[in-house]
Amino acid sequence: MAQPPIIDWTGKKKINLALQGGGAHGAFTWGVLDAILEDGRLDVEGVTGTSAGAMNAVVFAQGYLDGGREGARAALKTFWTRVSDKGAIGPVQRKLFDSFFKPFGFDGSPAYWWADFVTHYASPYDYNPLDINPLRDLLTDSIDFTKVRACEEIKIFIGATNVQTGKVAIFKREELTADHIMASACLPTIYKAVEIEGVPYWDGGYSGNPPLFPLFYETATPDVLIVQINPVERDETPRTMRDIQNRLNEVTFNGALLRELRAVEFVQRLYDQGKLPHDEYVRPFIHRIDGADPLKRFSAASKLDASWTSLTAIRDIGRKAGHAWLKANYDSIGMCDTMDLRAAFG
């Protein structure tokens, strides 16, 4: 027997969001969020995010506090515009490179190849001793964390990896600062570990991309919509070093999510078989908007491409996917899964 969907006082269904990281491909999530906000039929109780997903989460919350749905849409657009203006994604962060090496294309630019070489064969403690990171300035300039912490309408959970323990660390909305987001987005081949209260952190993708469990423990909404940007499957065997490294990153950054989904599916089976008392447990419903297939035409290098042309093309793919998912699955929210969990990890 299906539990009734969670509906707030406005008559809208409620949902939780789980936002993956993926560099500039996080613009896909921007597009999905824009579609959900534009549609207007869903209210968000909680958001969990890692790396670019963490950035989308806090920008979403700040904009929502300032101006509701339209405020959130405007804030996301402003943030990603600034990402493009500053070129603040990845190691190739100077507009000079974009213009000077334009004839080569992003993948073939000497700037990209140089950055790719350095980040694979040297430590950021050696080649970037001052820890210069335009992303930190972007976050400080773009996000008012006082407002984010004050946005009580939305629960936020940001994932990072504790370097010392290897475990996922969850930072909650009430404590968030720019450092917490930087920790969630800290790729250790590019930046020094981000230290918070003496503890070093790396990108949350290594331990939870994104972590789901805070949504089950700390929200009342059973529906979780995962916005996934890293492909789980690829048909071809990678043969070049760049392709091999990219596939290793995809496998690593999906590993923790797949383990959590396996656990969720196990709990669902226990619930459906009556082995968990229905008056004590709520059955989670899992949904996914999968950006992996539509983003396959973008190379791995495009995760570092902050050009406005690339970002808006990826955003538009996300908007299309968001609207399509809502059209096909809105009625199922609160009633059943729309993601086949066994197929995801089987």
Side-chain angles (χ1 to χ4, degrees):
M1 179 177 178
Q3 56 210 26
I6 302 294
I7 299 175
D8 67 12
W9 64 273
T10 66
K12 295 181 173 65
K13 290 186 177 183
K14 301 200 79 169
I15 201 165
N16 289 319
L17 300 173
L19 311 180
Q20 266 200 339
H25 287 188
F28 176 87
T29 303
W30 165 28
V32 169
L33 293 175
D34 192 68
I36 290 173
L37 291 163
E38 183 179 49
D39 180 87
R41 289 181 291 169
L42 292 177
D43 276 340
V44 176
E45 181 182 3
V47 185
T48 179
T50 296
S51 195
M55 297 174 209
N56 278 317
V58 294
V59 173
F60 175 91
Q62 174 181 289
Y64 193 88
L65 182 66
D66 282 341
R69 297 173 190 279
E70 290 306 312
R73 294 182 71 193
L76 286 162
K77 181 177 181 180
T78 298
F79 175 76
W80 283 97
T81 300
R82 289 176 176 174
V83 167
S84 179
D85 288 343
K86 289 183 177 289
I89 294 289
V92 186
Q93 297 166 331
R94 304 288 184 187
K95 276 196 163 186
L96 172 64
F97 287 133
D98 292 338
S99 57
F100 188 77
F101 294 116
K102 187 174 181 180
F104 296 94
F106 190 84
D107 288 35
S109 79
Y112 172 74
W113 281 100
W114 174 84
D116 186 60
F117 175 82
V118 169
T119 57
H120 280 86
Y121 293 98
S123 163
Y125 291 83
D126 297 324
Y127 69 77
N128 188 11
L130 299 179
D131 202 25
I132 297 170
N133 189 343
L135 186 56
R136 183 186 293 109
D137 296 335
L138 174 68
L139 289 172
T140 302
D141 294 343
S142 302
I143 300 172
D144 185 339
F145 283 92
T146 301
K147 289 184 177 179
V148 172
R149 294 191 294 269
C151 185
E152 296 181 355
E153 294 91 338
I154 302 172
K155 297 174 182 177
I156 302 176
F157 310 95
I158 301 303
T161 301
N162 184 314
V163 178
Q164 295 172 338
T165 67
K167 297 178 181 179
V168 64
I170 302 297
F171 304 124
K172 298 182 181 180
R173 186 204 69 236
E174 306 93 281
E175 63 183 316
L176 291 180
T177 65
D179 283 343
H180 295 96
I181 308 305
M182 292 301 303
S184 182
C186 179
L187 291 171
T189 59
I190 300 174
Y191 305 117
K192 295 180 181 180
V194 176
E195 291 198 6
I196 300 174
E197 297 181 356
V199 179
Y201 295 96
W202 283 342
D203 195 293
Y206 297 109
S207 55
N209 192 23
L212 302 181
F213 66 89
L215 300 174
F216 303 134
Y217 292 154
E218 303 202 36
T219 76
T221 300
D223 289 83
V224 176
L225 172 59
I226 301 167
V227 182
Q228 189 166 0
I229 10 182
N230 293 298
V232 174
E233 298 182 1
R234 283 192 183 272
D235 295 332
E236 68 278 3
T237 300
R239 299 185 184 279
T240 69
M241 184 49 66
R242 274 205 302 166
D243 289 343
I244 291 170
Q245 188 62 51
N246 179 56
R247 187 58 184 149
L248 280 172
N249 289 338
E250 290 172 347
V251 171
T252 302
F253 278 20
N254 278 324
L257 175 62
L258 293 178
R259 287 192 294 273
E260 279 200 271
L261 290 176
R262 187 183 295 273
V264 170
E265 193 272 338
F266 178 67
V267 171
Q268 288 178 332
R269 277 191 286 125
L270 293 179
Y271 185 95
D272 294 343
Q273 293 166 6
K275 295 178 180 178
L276 293 177
H278 291 197
D279 59 343
E280 295 182 25
Y281 293 88
V282 174
R283 187 193 192 282
F285 297 127
I286 306 299
H287 316 276
R288 177 175 64 180
I289 297 178
D290 189 359
D293 282 341
L295 291 177
K296 277 184 178 178
R297 68 183 178 89
F298 293 87
S299 69
S302 66
K303 292 180 180 180
L304 308 178
D305 184 359
S307 68
W308 188 242
T309 299
S310 180
L311 291 179
T312 53
I314 293 171
R315 175 207 60 192
D316 291 345
I317 293 172
R319 272 182 52 82
K320 182 178 179 180
H323 281 300
W325 184 87
L326 284 164
K327 182 177 180 180
N329 298 295
Y330 178 81
D331 290 340
S332 297
I333 297 171
M335 305 301 294
C336 63
D337 299 293
T338 60
M339 178 183 180
D340 186 342
L341 295 188
R342 286 203 172 188
F345 57 75

